[in-house]
Amino acid sequence: MTGRTDLLWKMLIAACATFAAVSVPLGTMLGLDVSGTMMPAVGSFVSIIFLIDVVVQHRKIAANVSTFSGTRTQSGWWLAADILAAAPVLLLPVPSLLRLLPLFKLARVAQMMIRWQRRHIRHANILRLTFFAFWLALGTHWIACGWLALRAPAPVTGDQSAYLHALYWTVQTLSTVGYGDVTPKSPPETLYAIGVMILGVAVYGYIIGNVAGTLSSVDPAKAHYLENLEKLSAFLRYRHIPHALQERIRQYYEYQWENRLGYDESDLLTSLPPNLKTELTLLLKKDIIERVPLFHGAGEDFVRAVALDMRPAVYLPGDVVFKAGDVARKMYFISKGSVEVLSKDGNTVYNTLKEGDFFGEVALFHNTPRTATVRAVGYCDLYTLDKDSFTRILAHFPSEAGHIKQLARERLARS
Ligand code: CMP
């Protein structure tokens, strides 16, 4: 699918999911059969579109997903939600609870909204408010349907004024206005009303907070990040970089933003005088130093020497850090995430290394090519130590060197 068809298809899915989300609960509450009396053609159309989308999504997953397990399970969940949503319940006379199955498609709508927000970062605030308004409207509708369901006597089939009345109650309760002209009569209604009032307070707070946030100026870190992203997007478009690669680059920036406010810490450190630089480096790398068992028993000088020379590096899910047979230039410490150590052909997983583990030391010690391939499982924050620093530091600290050497020997024997 090209970018434009893909967008149109997504809009169609969003429209169908919204139709199902509005009409199914309403139809059920007012005793209307979506498949029969209420727009039968639209009901069938929605079911067919959702069915086609299962195939579309499945093909996309098969084409895009690399073979790492994290994404595979995730795509499994998505596929399950798509299949459930595509169950042709709008075409068949089934119990009312099963009618709600197409609403699973709303998960896809939420996912699309998150992606749109990421892609149009400059308008993220406006989009966030728009999407919030969408969910709020849908939520209000559902609450009104719930109120109808609880209300006695049950509304007469097709009684639109009953729905309008329920909507009126919902809006005044959610918006914390509460005129009190429609009051709960039975205990379930009272409990329901309490729940909606509490929700109303939270929603109200959220709206006030968000509007204030949107109106306040963009902070400098965000401005810096947005500028970089804007330049990059323009460049990628100008050079017609393939869509998939553009997406990965964006994912990288987004991860950098979420974790480091979009700054490369080594750039910031270079401008500092040596004392401050050492102090700040140790503080910034405190997490990784605390996580790596190798550093626990090690002397302070060793930790300081390694910390000063470590450089951050981010890998995205499925990225290959290096391949077996590559020339070795660095060793790596895992700060966040995990990696798989694979055989040269990629078929055997020797081991999965997690936060606090290190790898890439074997080839540096023995001056050989890489003995195994290493691949990131999810998002990975690594710190690298280049070969020169590695050799220099280990020459200075023989006891720590002995420990690493011992582990390297064991790993070499196992791979
Ligand atoms: P190197 O040979 O430089 O590159 C591949 C790295 O994978 C290797 O260093 C070790 O750090 C790591 N490695 C190899 N085999 C294993 C194993 N069996 N268990 C854990 N890590 C391994």
Side-chain angles (χ1 to χ4, degrees), residues 84-210:
L84 283 175
V89 288
L90 297 185
L91 307 175
L92 306 167
V94 289
S96 30
L97 208 58
L98 282 182
R99 286 265 163 75
L100 298 176
L101 279 179
L103 269 63
F104 269 103
K105 211 62 185 175
L106 286 175
R108 279 278 180 208
V109 177
Q111 188 197 36
M112 283 175 213
M113 288 180 172
I114 293 172
R115 291 204 174 142
W116 276 332
Q117 242 170 291
R118 274 188 211 156
R119 218 159 278 167
H120 305 281
I121 202 122
R122 272 274 149 107
H123 310 292
N125 281 336
I126 301 292
L127 286 179
R128 199 174 53 209
L129 286 183
T130 314
F131 296 155
F132 176 70
F134 170 85
W135 292 114
L136 186 64
L138 210 51
T140 310
H141 170 70
W142 287 339
I143 293 173
C145 289
W147 182 249
L148 269 184
L150 286 175
R151 238 12 206 180
V156 191
T157 299
D159 183 1
Q160 288 169 359
S161 67
Y163 171 71
L164 205 60
H165 214 242
L167 195 62
Y168 167 74
W169 172 85
T170 309
V171 172
Q172 62 160 288
T173 312
L174 260 189
S175 60
T176 68
V177 172
Y179 290 124
D181 52 349
V182 185
T183 48
K185 292 194 188 96
S186 62
E189 281 179 31
T190 314
L191 282 175
Y192 191 75
I194 294 174
V196 177
M197 282 173 202
I198 295 173
L199 191 70
V201 173
V203 168
Y204 197 69
Y206 183 86
I207 294 176
I208 299 289
N210 261 277

Side-chain angles (χ1 to χ4, degrees), residues 294 302 306 331 361 364-365 385 388-402 404-405:
L294 170 72
F302 172 75
V306 177
M331 78 170 283
E361 78 296 357
L364 290 189
F365 259 127
L385 188 67
D388 288 346
S389 310
F390 176 86
T391 321
R392 182 172 42 78
I393 293 170
L394 292 196
H396 267 87
F397 300 94
S399 99
E400 283 81 5
I404 302 179
K405 211 171 204 165

Side-chain angles (χ1 to χ4, degrees), residues 322-326 328-332 340-342 349-353 358-366 368-374 407-408 410-415:
F322 53 70
K323 287 206 189 94
D326 281 358
R329 295 199 177 87
K330 292 167 183 167
M331 78 170 283
Y332 299 79
E340 281 175 340
V341 182
L342 306 161
V349 179
Y350 291 141
N351 211 337
T352 301
L353 303 176
F358 58 84
F359 60 91
E361 78 296 357
V362 176
L364 290 189
F365 259 127
H366 298 95
T368 53
R370 295 293 188 196
T371 55
T373 298
V374 173
L407 194 72
E410 288 168 17
R411 283 175 168 178
L412 192 59
R414 267 184 281 139
S415 58

Side-chain angles (χ1 to χ4, degrees), residues 293-300 302-303 400:
L294 170 72
F295 292 145
H296 292 171
E300 202 183 307
F302 172 75
V303 174
E400 283 81 5

Side-chain angles (χ1 to χ4, degrees), residues 120-390:
H120 305 281
I121 202 122
R122 272 274 149 107
H123 310 292
N125 281 336
I126 301 292
L127 286 179
R128 199 174 53 209
L129 286 183
T130 314
F131 296 155
F132 176 70
F134 170 85
W135 292 114
L136 186 64
L138 210 51
T140 310
H141 170 70
W142 287 339
I143 293 173
C145 289
W147 182 249
L148 269 184
L150 286 175
R151 238 12 206 180
V156 191
T157 299
D159 183 1
Q160 288 169 359
S161 67
Y163 171 71
L164 205 60
H165 214 242
L167 195 62
Y168 167 74
W169 172 85
T170 309
V171 172
Q172 62 160 288
T173 312
L174 260 189
S175 60
T176 68
V177 172
Y179 290 124
D181 52 349
V182 185
T183 48
K185 292 194 188 96
S186 62
E189 281 179 31
T190 314
L191 282 175
Y192 191 75
I194 294 174
V196 177
M197 282 173 202
I198 295 173
L199 191 70
V201 173
V203 168
Y204 197 69
Y206 183 86
I207 294 176
I208 299 289
N210 261 277
V211 171
T214 309
L215 295 180
S216 68
S217 58
V218 185
D219 67 282
K222 193 158 193 178
H224 166 89
Y225 166 69
L226 290 176
E227 198 184 311
N228 278 349
L229 202 64
E230 189 99 321
K231 278 189 208 158
L232 186 81
S233 291
F235 174 75
L236 295 178
R237 273 198 307 272
Y238 175 67
R239 295 298 304 263
H240 302 296
I241 302 298
H243 195 68
L245 184 57
Q246 283 196 29
E247 187 55 30
R248 287 178 71 73
I249 294 173
R250 269 194 210 104
Q251 278 174 7
Y252 164 76
Y253 265 84
E254 198 175 304
Y255 185 78
Q256 279 285 68
W257 166 250
E258 275 164 17
N259 288 276
R260 296 161 203 267
L261 281 181
Y263 286 105
D264 181 346
E265 63 191 40
S266 15
D267 281 356
L268 296 178
L269 287 169
T270 41
S271 52
L272 290 176
N275 276 352
L276 279 179
K277 183 173 162 178
T278 312
E279 209 169 308
L280 183 59
T281 306
L282 288 174
L283 253 176
L284 285 174
K285 293 176 184 162
K286 198 166 133 259
D287 277 358
I288 175 80
I289 292 168
E290 280 170 0
R291 270 180 214 147
V292 177
L294 170 72
F295 292 145
H296 292 171
E300 202 183 307
D301 290 344
F302 172 75
V303 174
R304 182 182 297 246
V306 177
L308 277 178
D309 282 4
M310 283 196 305
R311 298 276 170 269
V314 173
Y315 287 86
L316 304 185
D319 273 356
V320 171
V321 181
F322 53 70
K323 287 206 189 94
D326 281 358
V327 177
R329 295 199 177 87
K330 292 167 183 167
M331 78 170 283
Y332 299 79
F333 296 89
I334 306 176
S335 169
K336 238 195 221 169
S338 55
V339 299
E340 281 175 340
V341 182
L342 306 161
S343 59
K344 190 167 187 168
D345 57 14
N347 292 334
T348 319
V349 179
Y350 291 141
N351 211 337
T352 301
L353 303 176
K354 291 183 282 300
E355 283 181 13
D357 288 332
F358 58 84
F359 60 91
E361 78 296 357
V362 176
L364 290 189
F365 259 127
H366 298 95
N367 246 329
T368 53
R370 295 293 188 196
T371 55
T373 298
V374 173
R375 189 171 63 192
V377 177
Y379 280 96
C380 267
D381 264 343
L382 305 179
Y383 276 98
T384 65
L385 188 67
D386 67 36
K387 190 173 179 175
D388 288 346
S389 310
F390 176 86

